[in-house]
Amino acid sequence: MARPRDSGKYVSVSTRLAALLAAASTITVACTGTTSAPQVGTPDATTPPPLTVEVVADGLEHGWDIGFLPDGRVLVTQRPAQIALVSGTAPGSTVSQVEADLSDVYIRGESGLMGLVVHPDFATSRRFTTCLAHQENGRAVDVRLVTWELSPDGNSARRVVDPLLAGLPLNPSGRHAGCRLELAADGSLLVGTGDSARNGVPQDRTNLGGKVLRIDLATGEPAPGNPFADSPDPRERLVWTYGHRNVQGLALRPGTEQVFSAEHGPDRDDEVNLLRPGGHYGWAPVGDPTGYDESVPMTDTRRFPDAVPAVWSTGNPTLALCAVEFLSGPTWGDLDGMLVATSLKGKRLVLLDLDQSGAVRQVVTPPELNDRYGRLRAARLGPDGALYLTTSNGHDDRLLRVTRS
């Protein structure tokens, strides 16, 4: 499933973007603290390239993730334990609810029904996998992955692998539950997790919280080549990267094996990271066994000199970065190849221009999505090349379609 590498693409994108970004609404970059990552500054008054935003469907509630089906319909997971089936991707599409046993979903705070990935063989298997917070008799147990099979008519789904993976930590408050899913270039499944707001978790490689995991999509076992494959602990064998706070986004860069993550900072420094197998990303809150002191840097290179610096950071205040996705295809023109990040608190879309190594050169914020639709959560590129987003305002949430004007 690895995609061919296009070694010249990003150079040509950079050339085309030079004139564009000079006239765009830019966010200046600076370095601060121990993260050594570019930070958000103040946008200038010029206008970025225009985008067209259309409402595909409304009537959703906290749409968390998006999955496209071969027949043109769209699955949307909703945090309050509902799976929506949208009839298409055109404006005015209708929404129906998929009947599924979601009675065990723990809905509190940031937890509930979360990440979604449609299996590459869906046309024959009709399978998709979700990430959910699991409860038993009202007691928060863990965050786990469940694989489902959608009925031919799309009206219902049944659990076929339950769980695919269990044991991701869950705080009874629902705080820092994660949990984003993304297919890697080789077809393995990447799972971004939260640290459940407990100290010690991000640094403990035998705990699945505050990590990016890499597993076999069919079995839930460690994917071949994981960096800690020889560990005697079965949980550590699942770990791809560690030292994260609350991973909310994962994106594979087209034509490469580069994977980028987005995660929430405390009161500062949401981060975009380029993931390296076995990489330590420097989050380590301190305190007694029940404490959670978040006054430490997001990437603490003083305590952990080997920590991987973020490629970009929001600085202070945070935007609550969420999903990340790459724009790809000729319809995007000069925006082709840019990484987009949604934001909850920031209520905007952020576009990052990356060089071939993954370093951030410029950042733009399109006004069409700047506090016009509220909190933005999911971001997925559709089969038609358009960008699809969900809002997460808690009432009459929407599925949006974004294209280059």
Side-chain angles (χ1 to χ4, degrees), residues 20 96 101 108 115 121 189 194 264 285 299 302 337 340 360 373 381 391:
L20 167 70
S96 59
D101 182 6
R108 185 172 180 183
D121 66 351
L189 180 63
H264 287 173
T299 303
R302 291 193 182 99
V340 304
V360 176
Y373 296 92
L381 201 69
T391 68

Side-chain angles (χ1 to χ4, degrees), residues 110-134:
E110 301 167 22
S111 73
L113 182 61
M114 296 174 286
L116 163 72
V117 65
V118 174
H119 288 209
D121 66 351
F122 181 89
T124 54
S125 72
R126 302 197 64 78
R127 291 191 172 191
F128 63 96
T129 294
T130 63
C131 197
L132 58 86
H134 172 71

Side-chain angles (χ1 to χ4, degrees), residues 180-202:
R180 187 70 63 181
L181 307 178
E182 175 77 341
L183 292 174
D186 63 358
S188 60
L189 180 63
L190 302 175
V191 185
T193 73
D195 69 357
S196 65
R198 296 184 176 101
N199 64 38
V201 168

